[in-house]
C-alpha cells in the first residue's frame, strides 16, 4: 500500500512539474513575441535607388548576414540628409564588420534619386535607399506614422538569423549617431560569437563579462 502511495505521489509531482514548465515556457514564448527584440523581420522585396539606378532589392538575399535597417521620415527634409551623410561616412566600417546597410523611407525610389541629385550631402551615398511606399515594412515593425504616412526615425540591427537584436526609436527632431549604431553592431557580433556579455560603454576589443 505504501509503495502504491509513493508511486502515486511521484507521478502527481512529475505531472505538476511538467505542467508548470509548460506554462512557464508558454509565458516566455508569448512575452518574447510581444517585444521587438528577438522578433523575426519580414525580409521582403522592395524598390530601391542604388548606384545611380532604380532597382529591386530582396532583403531575403541578405539573410545570413548582419543587416542595419535605418528608417527616416522623408526625403527633402532637414535632419535626414545629415543622418544619411554620416551613415555613409561609416559605411566602410559597417561592411568591414560584415553588415549590410539599408536606409528606408516611404518616398518612392524616383524621389530618392531626385533627392540625391539635389543635395550635396548625399552625393557619396553607397548603401541602397529602399522605398517602403505602401508602408508595409514600416507597419510590420511598428514605425509607421499613420497620420503623416511616413516612418519615424528608427534603427534595427538584424542578426544573421533574421532576428532583431537591437532597436532605437527617436523623435523626428533628433538626429542619430552612426558611430553608436556601429558600436552596438560590434557588441552584438561579439556576444553572438560567444565572447561573453558587453558591459556599458563597451567598444570593439574591450574586455567582456563572463557569466561564470
Amino acid at each position: 500500500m505504501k509503495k502504491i502511495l509513493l508511486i502515486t505521489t511521484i507521478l502527481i509531482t512529475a505531472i505538476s512539474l511538467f505542467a508548470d514548465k509548460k506554462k512557464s515556457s508558454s509565458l516566455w514564448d508569448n512575452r518574447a513575441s510581444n517585444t521587438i527584440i528577438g522578433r523575426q523581420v519580414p525580409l521582403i522585396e522592395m524598390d530601391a535607388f542604388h548606384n545611380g539606378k532604380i532597382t529591386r532589392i530582396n532583403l531575403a538575399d541578405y539573410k545570413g548576414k548582419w543587416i542595419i535597417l535605418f528608417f527616416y521620415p522623408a526625403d527633402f527634409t532637414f535632419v535626414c540628409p545629415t543622418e544619411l551623410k554620416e551613415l555613409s561616412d561609416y559605411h566602410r566600417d559597417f561592411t568591414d564588420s560584415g553588415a549590410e546597410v539599408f536606409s528606408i523611407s516611404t518616398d518612392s525610389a524616383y524621389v530618392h534619386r531626385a533627392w540625391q541629385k539635389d543635395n550635396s550631402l548625399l552625393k557619396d551615398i553607397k548603401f541602397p535607399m529602399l522605398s517602403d511606399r505602401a508602408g508595409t515594412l514600416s507597419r510590420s515593425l511598428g514605425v509607421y506614422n499613420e497620420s503623416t504616412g511616413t516612418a519615424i526615425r528608427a534603427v534595427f540591427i538584424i542578426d544573421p538569423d533574421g532576428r532583431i537584436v537591437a532597436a532605437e526609436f527617436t523623435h523626428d527632431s533628433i538626429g542619430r549617431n552612426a558611430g553608436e549604431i556601429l558600436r552596438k553592431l560590434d557588441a552584438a557580433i561579439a556576444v553572438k560569437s560567444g565572447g561573453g556579455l558587453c558591459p556599458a560603454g563597451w567598444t570593439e576589443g574591450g574586455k567582456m563579462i563572463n557569466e561564470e
Side-chain angles (χ1 to χ4, degrees):
M1 185 67 178
K2 288 182 178 180
K3 192 173 182 179
I4 294 174
L5 286 173
L6 180 60
I7 293 173
T8 303
T9 301
I10 292 173
L11 286 172
I12 292 172
T13 302
I15 292 169
S16 177
L17 288 172
F18 175 77
D20 286 344
K21 184 177 180 182
K22 187 174 181 182
K23 181 179 179 182
S24 175
S25 176
S26 176
L27 287 172
W28 175 260
D29 291 343
N30 289 336
R31 182 165 66 250
S33 66
N34 290 331
T35 64
I36 195 70
I37 302 301
R39 183 181 299 180
Q40 192 83 36
V41 175
L43 300 177
I44 62 176
E45 188 173 5
M46 307 173 74
D47 288 336
F49 175 65
H50 187 220
N51 290 333
K53 298 179 180 179
I54 304 295
T55 185
R56 294 279 291 176
I57 286 181
N58 191 341
L59 292 174
D61 293 339
Y62 298 88
K63 190 168 184 180
K65 301 191 70 172
W66 290 87
I67 297 174
I68 308 295
L69 298 181
F70 191 89
F71 287 86
Y72 64 94
D75 296 348
F76 291 98
T77 51
F78 302 98
V79 177
C80 296
T82 66
E83 289 191 309
L84 267 61
K85 162 66 164 64
E86 185 179 71
L87 195 62
S88 182
D89 291 342
Y90 277 86
H91 184 255
R92 179 65 180 270
D93 297 299
F94 282 105
T95 57
D96 284 349
S97 291
E100 295 291 338
V101 177
F102 302 92
S103 65
I104 308 170
S105 79
T106 56
D107 298 282
S108 73
Y110 294 95
V111 174
H112 288 337
R113 181 175 64 181
W115 189 36
Q116 189 180 44
K117 287 181 179 180
D118 178 76
N119 195 311
S120 61
L121 291 177
L122 307 176
K123 62 184 177 66
D124 294 323
I125 296 275
K126 300 174 181 66
F127 48 80
M129 302 172 71
L130 304 185
S131 169
D132 190 22
R133 199 80 185 99
T136 303
L137 189 58
S138 301
R139 284 190 177 92
S140 71
L141 295 176
V143 299
Y144 188 78
N145 185 333
E146 295 287 350
S147 64
T148 61
T150 60
I152 63 171
R153 295 195 196 285
V155 182
F156 298 95
I157 299 177
I158 317 299
D159 74 7
D161 299 319
R163 296 187 180 279
I164 298 171
V165 297
E168 177 185 351
F169 306 90
T170 311
H171 189 274
D172 285 359
S173 62
I174 302 172
R176 290 155 289 181
N177 186 315
E180 174 60 10
I181 298 169
L182 178 64
R183 188 194 73 81
K184 290 179 182 177
L185 169 68
D186 289 336
I189 293 171
V191 170
K192 192 170 181 65
S193 68
L197 309 177
C198 291
W202 181 90
T203 55
E204 188 177 14
K207 185 176 180 180
M208 299 180 73
I209 299 172
N210 293 318
E211 294 182 271
E212 298 178 355

